[in-house]
């Protein structure tokens, strides 16, 4: 028998938008502020470096908590909150890459409503920058034109922006390339196999394309985007 061809793996590096880059920078600065505060407590005896990269590549907050389990009752309330904040900031660093603008902003607002009273990072200057930039990805407020002789000022207008994730455009491009290559392989121009394939399975695509996502929410958004367009 003939040998089967090995699958070809192609990795695509997708640059982040300027807004996403600024949010990531502010998240890293907020992490650094929390880590510096944690570093003041030498008695904790942590076994790894207090760096932003360590917090990104491991759940630093949980790692700290596990190391301090035996002495957790001796740790100050502020220090405990910092470990929780580090886990939250780490999660946000991944969410800004996974979620579209409106979903990320909604998640931020949920965090402010549920953790605002106890959180430390939300009172940092970086938090204000993160919220402002997240809002700019979704909408902008436009001042009205001032007319001569107007007795009252017109209200400001909220204009949708809805920054599209870069992954969506790249996915659509890849799917179009796959469809184009598949039509060439099936000999769609004049070959009868394409017609028989299109008529099989009740008109469904006999060669479906599998798109894997890490979360159901992202999968649902991609499905809507591919069906409706974006």
């Amino acid at each position: 028998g003939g040998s089967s061809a090995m699958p070809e793996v192609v990795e695509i590096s997708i640059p982040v938008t300027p807004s996403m880059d600024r949010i990531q920078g502010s998240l890293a600065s907020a992490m650094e502020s929390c880590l510096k505060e944690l570093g003041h407590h030498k008695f904790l005896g942590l076994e790894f470096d207090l760096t932003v990269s360590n917090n990104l590549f491991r759940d630093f907050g949980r790692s700290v908590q596990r190391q301090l389990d035996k002495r957790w009752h001796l740790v100050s309330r502020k220090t405990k909150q910092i470990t929780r904040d580090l886990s939250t900031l780490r999660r946000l660093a991944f969410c800004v890459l996974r979620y579209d603008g409106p979903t990320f902003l909604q998640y931020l607002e949920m965090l402010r409503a549920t953790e605002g009273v106890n959180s430390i990072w939300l009172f940092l200057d970086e938090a204000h920058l993160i919220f402002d930039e997240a809002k700019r990805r979704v909408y902008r407020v436009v001042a009205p034109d001032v007319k001569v002789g107007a007795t009252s000022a017109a209200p400001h207008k909220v204009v949708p922006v809805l920054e599209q994730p870069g992954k969506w455009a790249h996915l659509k491009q890849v799917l179009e390339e796959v469809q184009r290559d598949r039509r060439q392989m099936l000999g769609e121009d004049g070959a009868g196999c394409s017609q028989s394939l299109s008529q099989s399975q009740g008109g469904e695509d006999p060669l479906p394309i599998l798109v894997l996502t890490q979360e159901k929410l992202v999968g649902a958004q991609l499905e809507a985007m591919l069906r409706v367009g974006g």
Side-chain angles (χ1 to χ4, degrees):
S3 60
S4 59
M6 292 294 293
E8 180 183 359
V9 178
V10 179
E11 294 187 13
I12 301 175
S13 178
I14 302 172
V16 298
T17 65
S19 292
M20 293 170 66
D21 188 49
R22 287 189 285 269
I23 290 173
Q24 287 182 319
S26 297
L27 287 169
S29 297
M31 286 183 197
E32 192 171 358
S33 298
C34 291
L35 290 170
K36 282 182 179 178
E37 182 65 31
L38 204 60
H40 294 158
H41 305 284
K42 301 297 183 183
F43 75 93
L44 296 178
L46 299 177
E47 298 176 358
F48 38 78
D49 295 333
L50 301 178
T51 62
V52 172
S53 60
N54 267 344
N55 188 47
L56 282 174
F57 292 106
R58 63 194 297 176
D59 196 339
F60 190 86
R62 290 186 181 179
S63 299
V64 171
Q65 189 168 347
R66 279 196 298 269
Q67 288 196 31
L68 299 177
D69 271 344
K70 296 180 180 179
R71 294 177 285 170
W72 195 245
H73 62 288
L74 300 175
V75 179
S76 69
R77 183 177 178 181
K78 183 178 181 181
T79 302
K80 291 178 181 178
Q81 185 58 49
I82 289 175
T83 63
R84 299 187 189 100
D85 284 354
L86 284 169
S87 293
T88 299
L89 291 168
R90 177 180 181 272
R91 190 163 60 249
L92 284 172
F94 289 102
C95 286
V96 72
L97 297 175
R98 293 178 187 169
Y99 297 157
D100 61 285
T103 303
F104 182 73
L105 178 60
Q106 185 180 26
Y107 185 62
L108 278 177
E109 296 290 359
M110 184 272 292
L111 284 178
R112 180 154 59 183
T114 56
E115 302 181 9
V117 177
N118 300 317
S119 177
I120 294 173
W121 80 271
L122 280 171
F123 293 95
L124 298 174
D125 291 339
E126 288 85 358
H128 299 293
L129 297 174
I130 292 168
F131 273 87
D132 288 344
E133 207 62 53
K135 291 175 183 176
R136 291 192 188 99
R137 297 177 66 203
V138 181
Y139 66 87
R140 59 190 177 93
V141 179
V142 179
D145 296 330
V146 180
K147 297 181 179 179
V148 179
T151 55
S152 60
H156 287 64
K157 292 182 179 180
V158 177
V159 180
V161 176
L162 303 178
E163 175 187 279
Q164 187 181 89
K167 291 186 291 187
W168 290 13
H170 281 75
L171 175 62
K172 290 174 67 177
Q173 182 180 354
V174 168
L175 291 177
E176 289 170 357
E177 290 178 2
V178 170
Q179 293 280 29
R180 188 164 56 248
D181 292 345
R182 188 164 63 177
R183 282 196 296 268
Q184 292 176 357
M185 291 176 62
L186 293 176
E188 202 170 61
D189 298 331
C193 62
S194 63
Q195 183 178 0
S196 61
L197 284 172
S198 64
Q199 291 174 350
S200 65
Q201 300 181 9
E204 296 181 359
D205 191 343
L207 299 173
I209 300 171
L210 178 62
V211 179
L212 296 177
T213 62
Q214 199 162 10
E215 298 182 10
K216 290 183 179 180
L217 172 62
V218 177
Q221 290 176 335
L222 286 177
E223 183 179 7
M225 183 270 293
L226 293 173
R227 290 182 182 275
V228 180

